[in-house]
Amino acid sequence: MPTYDGTILDDGGAVFNVRSAAFGAVGDGVNDDTAEIQAAINAAQAAGVSRHGATVLLPPGKYKFTQLVFTRGKSVRFVGAGQSATVLAHTGSNDMFVDSGSGTWAFAPHFEGFRVEGSGSASAFNFSGGINRNMRFQELQILLNQEGYDEQEVDGRVHDGFRLPACVSTVFDQVEVLDARYAFYLSHYDGTPSSQTTFRNCKSERSKRGFYIQGTSTNRAGGFLFLNCKTELGAAENGSNGDVGFSLEYGNHPVFIRCSSEDDATQAHYALSNVEAPQFINCSFSGSATVTSLSLVSCKGAQISGGRAAGAVTVDSASTALIVDNLVLGGAGESQLSVAAGSYDIAVMTGDPASTIVARRKKRLEEYYNASSGGAVQRFFADGDTFPRAVDLANGVRQFGTGSAAVDATSWERRGAGAIGTPSRIVVDDGITVGGGLKVSALLGASTNWDPPSMAADAAASTTLSVPGATTGSVVIATHAQIGAQDILISGHVQAADTVRVVLHNKTGGTVDLGNGTLRAWVFVP
């Protein structure tokens, strides 16, 4: 580790060691090193001539301090020897790391490789003087030691881990915050919201709210990536649990990948309000019968792919275009998937839930199938074993369509996980366009056993079978199980409503007796 001061590095920056003779920090955990560290910061900011800026170096040790100030528009790297080696022990009630001046960071600061031990009555990083752009926080542990959520404000002061309004193009990497009011609080500054910020391998433990991002109705926070992040909402010293693990208000396009929220919450583990196109990929949603796993309020285009929800996933009637794909619903929540009527376009459910909640989920599934469309385009597909034996075919639970227009489910049957037997009738709203223009509104099918009579050379034989819904002019495809390599032509047409005629024509040059076999006909209704 360098011990020199003022040396210009290849990138144009310089290193300032707080333990050097020029500054004289002790780092023994007894002496107050605030003035010495601040002097090194001031020197580094004055010498910063590159995008990387000068470096303030904190060798292993425990440094007592009250408050450190960073000037906006100055670039500086504030670097320790690692979370277990470099400790900054805060005393007093002031916020720990603050900014001076106003405006956008020209070259933003970089904090890396140390642990902060808070006094319990202040925020760790509070940069509220302007837009916080291009900052980086890496390998940090913030211990705030707040006494309880009912004491979240002391003399008008809050103790958050990171209080960064208008946090733009910033990276949090391997950052852990314990015992805060809000671990990560990213709001807006003078109407400018936070945006394009990444959290990688970050954690909040025993905080009232873990990740809290807030935009405005006219300026939304957007472009957030949460990768492998976690909140643990365990009880603070006063015995109360945190409210929400991940919270986002007025935002666009947040992506959550392999994130989790654990322990009991008082409100919800994930709570999104007025958010467009949020994505959840292989996330864990904890919850219980009384605490929501995921709450979506006035959200558009949400997509949940994979993962597991232990409590209820609730979507209000103002939300639209929900896609749920391969989400396992488990636990004992009262309503595992509660989607208000008219609030989803497509919902795909797969997985293997606990057997104790089959009856409850069957009820909810029936409500979806029988719900009024409310003007929205609605579909619901159930695959795999998410709803084991939950679709009661014998009693006419609707399979496709919406409201009273739902078609008859007769002749459908389950054949193992993910399989559905051959239907006698499929009706598709507004039809399917095939190839260059063939539009099909319904695909109908029927089968019967038929033993055609013996046919001399160039002779024909025919029969009819009933296909309810068939109309004249429809396309018909027919097969017979006994036709093999022989030159036997088979054709079909709709002879009259609901009736298909199938004709065999012997082109072998000799007499043929096919024998008994299954005759099948498919009718494509235009």
Side-chain angles (χ1 to χ4, degrees):
M1 180 172 292
T3 58
Y4 41 80
D5 296 306
T7 301
I8 303 300
L9 304 181
D10 291 339
D11 63 8
V15 175
F16 296 86
N17 190 327
V18 300
R19 298 282 288 273
S20 69
F23 304 108
V26 180
D28 61 359
V30 177
N31 290 280
D32 190 317
D33 291 317
T34 302
E36 290 77 9
I37 298 174
Q38 187 65 60
I41 293 172
N42 295 343
Q45 291 181 149
V49 293
S50 73
R51 290 188 64 86
H52 298 284
T55 298
V56 176
L57 192 65
L58 293 92
K62 188 171 185 178
Y63 303 87
K64 290 184 66 175
F65 77 106
T66 55
Q67 186 176 77
L68 300 174
V69 181
F70 295 82
T71 303
R72 285 189 167 272
K74 300 293 185 179
S75 181
V76 63
R77 299 179 74 246
F78 192 80
V79 181
Q83 297 179 13
S84 61
T86 299
V87 178
L88 285 94
H90 178 252
T91 60
S93 60
N94 293 324
D95 291 336
M96 304 173 198
F97 300 89
V98 299
D99 55 344
S100 67
S102 61
T104 304
W105 290 101
F107 299 118
H110 178 154
F111 299 88
E112 179 180 351
F114 56 88
R115 182 170 80 246
V116 177
E117 295 180 352
S119 60
S121 59
S123 294
F125 292 86
N126 186 0
F127 297 149
S128 56
I131 299 174
N132 296 293
R133 186 185 299 275
N134 296 321
M135 304 180 74
R136 185 177 184 90
F137 302 91
Q138 185 174 8
E139 296 183 47
L140 304 178
Q141 187 179 53
I142 313 298
L143 310 177
L144 293 183
N145 300 320
Q146 83 168 15
E147 296 179 1
Y149 301 138
D150 58 347
E151 300 176 9
Q152 62 186 271
E153 294 191 10
V154 179
D155 296 329
R157 190 181 295 275
V158 296
H159 31 279
D160 298 331
F162 293 86
R163 192 172 181 83
L164 305 176
C167 186
V168 179
S169 299
T170 293
V171 175
F172 296 85
D173 191 0
Q174 299 184 64
V175 178
E176 182 180 23
V177 180
L178 288 82
D179 298 303
R181 184 191 71 138
Y182 295 167
F184 302 88
Y185 180 28
L186 278 56
S187 60
H188 52 87
Y189 177 81
D190 195 23
T192 299
S194 297
S195 65
Q196 315 311 126
T197 291
T198 298
F199 297 88
R200 292 196 298 254
N201 303 311
C202 293
K203 180 181 179 182
S204 165
E205 185 172 346
R206 295 189 305 273
S207 295
K208 187 176 182 67
R209 293 200 178 187
F211 299 82
Y212 181 37
I213 299 170
Q214 183 185 54
T216 70
S217 58
T218 55
N219 293 289
R220 292 172 172 262
F224 286 88
L225 173 62
F226 301 86
L227 177 60
N228 199 34
C229 294
K230 181 179 183 180
T231 66
E232 293 183 2
L233 298 169
E237 291 186 8
N238 67 346
S240 64
N241 291 321
D243 290 343
V244 180
F246 296 87
S247 178
L248 179 58
E249 299 176 4
Y250 291 108
N252 293 331
H253 313 297
V255 179
F256 301 81
I257 302 176
R258 296 197 307 273
C259 294
S260 64
S261 181
E262 299 180 358
D263 301 328
D264 284 335
T266 59
Q267 295 182 19
H269 284 274
Y270 297 73
L272 277 66
S273 174
N274 293 282
V275 177
E276 292 190 4
Q279 295 185 58
F280 302 89
I281 303 172
N282 292 328
C283 292
S284 172
F285 307 90
S286 294
S288 65
T290 57
V291 177
T292 300
S293 291
L294 169 64
S295 172
L296 300 178
V297 177
S298 296
C299 294
K300 298 179 180 180
Q303 180 173 349
I304 307 171
S305 300
R308 181 181 186 275
V313 175
T314 64
V315 186
D316 75 336
S317 59
S319 297
T320 58
L322 169 68
I323 298 177
V324 182
D325 180 11
N326 199 35
L327 175 66
V328 177
L329 298 174
E334 291 183 358
S335 181
Q336 292 298 300
L337 180 61
S338 179
V339 180
S343 68
Y344 63 90
D345 290 338
I346 301 175
V348 182
M349 294 297 305
T350 63
D352 185 12
S355 59
T356 57
I357 56 177
V358 170
R360 179 172 55 253
R361 194 159 315 136
K362 173 183 174 182
K363 178 178 183 297
R364 177 60 63 184
L365 181 61
E366 291 176 356
E367 290 174 358
Y368 293 153
Y369 282 136
N370 291 279
S372 171
S373 66
V377 179
Q378 294 183 337
R379 302 288 183 272
F380 200 103
F381 301 89
D383 191 14
D385 281 336
T386 296
F387 300 97
R389 305 184 183 277
V391 181
D392 188 347
L393 302 175
N395 294 318
V397 175
R398 291 165 179 156
Q399 289 278 332
F400 295 92
T402 59
S404 60
V407 304
D408 185 8
T410 305
S411 297
W412 287 83
E413 63 183 33
R414 288 298 303 270
R415 296 183 179 179
I420 297 179
T422 303
S424 62
R425 177 184 176 94
I426 298 177
V427 176
V428 181
D429 295 349
D430 298 326
I432 297 176
T433 300
V434 180
L438 176 61
K439 186 173 183 178
V440 179
S441 62
L443 171 60
L444 312 177
S447 63
T448 188
N449 287 327
W450 182 35
D451 187 358
S454 177
M455 293 179 289
D458 209 32
S462 66
T463 189
T464 62
L465 68 164
S466 175
V467 182
T471 59
T472 56
S474 299
V475 177
V476 177
I477 297 176
T479 65
H480 191 279
Q482 296 301 321
I483 297 178
Q486 309 100 314
D487 289 334
I488 304 294
L489 303 182
I490 184 170
S491 63
H493 65 279
V494 180
Q495 175 178 292
D498 304 331
T499 302
V500 171
R501 176 168 291 279
V502 177
V503 180
L504 299 177
H505 195 178
N506 179 13
K507 305 297 291 183
T508 65
T511 300
V512 172
D513 189 350
L514 288 180
N516 188 46
T518 302
L519 174 67
R520 291 185 173 88
W522 290 269
V523 179
F524 298 83
V525 180

